Amino acid sequence: MSDCIFCKIVDGEIPANKVMEDEEFIAFHDIHPKAKVHVLVIPKKHIPTFMDIQEEDVALLGRLHLFIQKVTKELNMDEKGFRVINNCKDHGGQEVYHLHYHILGGEKLAF
Ligand code: AMP
């Protein structure tokens, strides 16, 4: 059993407010939203940080961009826009060591 909280979401061991899921990715609402819409997008594959991305992951993460497009369309953020953020390691403020991208929007971001 994994200690990773996002792997537990992937495995269905803890609940998440999911927006969308396919074989490779899940999008779910952040429990502490920092914007009107704050969604996290994760690959189901456990990759700890941005710096752990390998050559073999390049196609997967290319598809993750297309998945983010679908999520933003589902949430009607695609026309007005949004922000995509990855926090990497300690200086980046990373709290959960399973690669994820924050999708922020639903309003004009003031920060
Ligand atoms: P980061 O600082 O980039 O690692 O961000 C981790 C994010 O995960 C934070 O914004 C948390 O609010 C969020 N988070 C932690 N646990 C959960 C959870 N069980 N469901 C949804 N979001 C979570």
Side-chain angles (χ1 to χ4, degrees), residues 5-6 9 14-17 28-34 38 40 85-88 92-98 100 102:
I5 190 162
F6 288 173
I9 288 175
I14 64 166
N17 185 3
F28 52 95
H29 290 278
D30 196 293
I31 39 166
H32 296 122
K34 293 186 175 63
H38 185 174
L40 302 176
I85 294 173
N86 171 259
N87 297 325
C88 182
Q94 185 172 4
E95 292 170 8
V96 178
Y97 278 68
H98 181 126
H100 56 279
H102 297 256

Side-chain angles (χ1 to χ4, degrees), residues 27-51:
F28 52 95
H29 290 278
D30 196 293
I31 39 166
H32 296 122
K34 293 186 175 63
K36 200 164 175 188
V37 179
H38 185 174
V39 169
L40 302 176
V41 172
I42 64 169
K44 291 185 175 178
K45 178 178 179 182
H46 182 81
I47 300 170
T49 79
F50 194 96
M51 291 309 298

Side-chain angles (χ1 to χ4, degrees), residues 2-109:
S2 172
D3 279 341
C4 168
I5 190 162
F6 288 173
C7 283
K8 287 184 197 289
I9 288 175
V10 171
D11 294 340
E13 289 170 31
I14 64 166
N17 185 3
K18 291 180 189 175
V19 176
M20 196 176 280
E21 177 172 9
D22 69 11
E23 311 78 50
E24 296 183 305
F25 312 109
I26 307 179
F28 52 95
H29 290 278
D30 196 293
I31 39 166
H32 296 122
K34 293 186 175 63
K36 200 164 175 188
V37 179
H38 185 174
V39 169
L40 302 176
V41 172
I42 64 169
K44 291 185 175 178
K45 178 178 179 182
H46 182 81
I47 300 170
T49 79
F50 194 96
M51 291 309 298
D52 295 303
I53 295 169
Q54 304 294 318
E55 190 70 34
E56 66 187 34
D57 301 317
V58 167
L60 176 75
L61 295 177
R63 291 191 293 276
L64 182 139
H65 283 71
L66 298 178
F67 185 78
I68 290 173
Q69 287 184 353
K70 285 188 203 161
V71 170
T72 60
K73 284 180 185 164
E74 173 69 21
L75 296 171
N76 296 313
M77 300 161 80
D78 55 314
E79 284 191 10
K80 290 200 167 170
F82 51 87
R83 189 172 295 163
V84 181
I85 294 173
N86 171 259
N87 297 325
C88 182
K89 301 187 185 177
D90 185 36
H91 281 194
Q94 185 172 4
E95 292 170 8
V96 178
Y97 278 68
H98 181 126
L99 182 69
H100 56 279
Y101 294 88
H102 297 256
I103 314 298
L104 298 160
E107 61 184 332
K108 175 88 175 166
L109 299 170

